[in-house]
Structure formats: structure tokens, C-alpha cells
Amino acid sequence: MSDAPETPEAETPDAPDRAAERTRVILAGIVAAALGALAASRGWTSTADTGHAGITATTVQSGTDLASWALPCALAGGAAFLAMLATGNRARRVLGAVAALAGLAAALGGILHLTSGAWPITLAAAALALAAAGAWTTARAGGWPATDRYETAGDGSGDQAIAEDPVSLWNALDSGRDPSSPNITASAPQKGPRR
């Protein structure tokens, strides 16, 4: 029987896997939004009318004519995913919800006009992928590693842990944390020399 405390096995994937997941989901959201915006701006239907003089005029209706909200919603979803590149995990959850709702709204525009050709079907599929990526982000962004180098840990151990060891002051500088923080510089000199 050993006296060492048992450590539970990690139930979540390690940091590189979570970073790769974050990259894949954000990239999928951006690509889906771009494809949805392209599909919404294309011509969906065309009608040919022959006038009295025998001249035929073709009228093309685009996705923005038939479902005017689809293009702005696809663009809003793409903007939400682009904003995720510069935000923390809490903001990503909110932006994921925005992208999911925008994707569902854009998908509705394609679904209402499925019989109008291939572009509405493309819009519906891309917008549903956008909504799925947004929902996935909302559900999983809390476990993703932060992209902001200056985002500190929420457990309060940030600056005080650095002040324990002068070598850690340099490590803090290397990792993007401020070694001149009042918590660090005030407590480090008080330690005195190590024995």
C-alpha cells in the first residue's frame, strides 16, 4: 500500500488537442460563413419574359432578393468567428451563441427556397455548419487554451507565485506576464537571500 495520494486521470484532452480543436472549429466557422455569404449573393432564379417587340429579357433574382436577411446573418456569423481570434474564452462562448443564431437564421433563408436551385441548398448547408460550429464553440470554449498572452489564470495564483522565486521573474517576462507588477516587486525583495 502506498502513501502517495491518488491522482485522478485527466478526463479532458491535453492542451495541444484543445488548441487544435479551437483552431479547427474557428476555421470551420469562418469557411462556413464565407460559403454561406457567397451562396446568398448568387443568382437563385431567372425568368425570361418576351415583350411585344419580340425582345426577351431575363430577370435574375439573387438570394439577397428572395431572403434579404441571409447575407447579413452569414456575415455576422463570420464576424463573430473572426472576433474569436482576439478574445478570451468567456467572450468566445457569447460569440459562439451569436454565430449559432445567425447561422440558423441564414439557413432558414436557404430552406425556404430549396426548390430554387443549388445555391439555396448550398446556403442552407453552409449556414447549418456555421450554426453547428457556433454551438460547439459555446459548449466547449471554456476548456480551450487562451490565445491572449496577457490573460492571467483565474485562481489568483498569478503574481504571487512568480514572486516566490527570482528565476520565475524572468520566466514571467518570457511568458508575457509583467514582472514589474506591484505584487511581484513588493514581495520578492522581502524574501531575502535563500539559505
Side-chain angles (χ1 to χ4, degrees):
M1 183 178 246
S2 95
D3 294 327
E6 293 183 13
T7 57
E9 293 182 359
E11 296 178 3
T12 59
D14 56 358
D17 289 343
R18 289 181 286 165
E21 176 190 19
R22 177 193 65 211
T23 302
R24 284 191 304 264
V25 172
I26 290 176
L27 184 62
I30 292 170
V31 169
L35 184 59
L38 175 69
S41 64
R42 297 290 121 192
W44 288 5
T45 63
S46 63
T47 55
D49 294 326
T50 304
H52 295 293
I55 299 173
T56 303
T58 303
T59 304
V60 176
Q61 288 187 310
S62 67
T64 54
D65 296 328
L66 298 173
S68 59
W69 68 90
L71 178 60
C73 287
L75 293 175
F81 273 101
L82 286 174
M84 288 179 203
L85 297 173
T87 59
N89 290 343
R90 288 184 187 145
R92 284 189 190 125
R93 285 183 162 174
V94 174
L95 290 169
V98 169
L101 293 174
L104 290 175
L108 180 64
I111 291 169
L112 291 175
H113 300 281
L114 285 178
T115 58
S116 297
W119 286 117
I121 296 169
T122 304
L123 171 64
L128 288 174
L130 173 64
W136 188 270
T137 300
T138 301
R140 304 274 297 172
W144 291 349
T147 54
D148 187 0
R149 358 181 354 192
Y150 299 104
E151 193 171 289
T152 58
D155 59 358
S157 65
D159 293 342
Q160 288 292 11
I162 294 172
E164 297 296 324
D165 183 15
V167 173
S168 297
L169 291 170
W170 289 105
N171 291 339
L173 185 62
D174 289 341
S175 67
R177 295 171 69 191
D178 184 8
S180 65
S181 169
N183 292 338
I184 296 172
T185 55
S187 59
Q190 295 171 1
K191 293 277 183 186
R194 291 191 176 204
R195 297 184 184 202

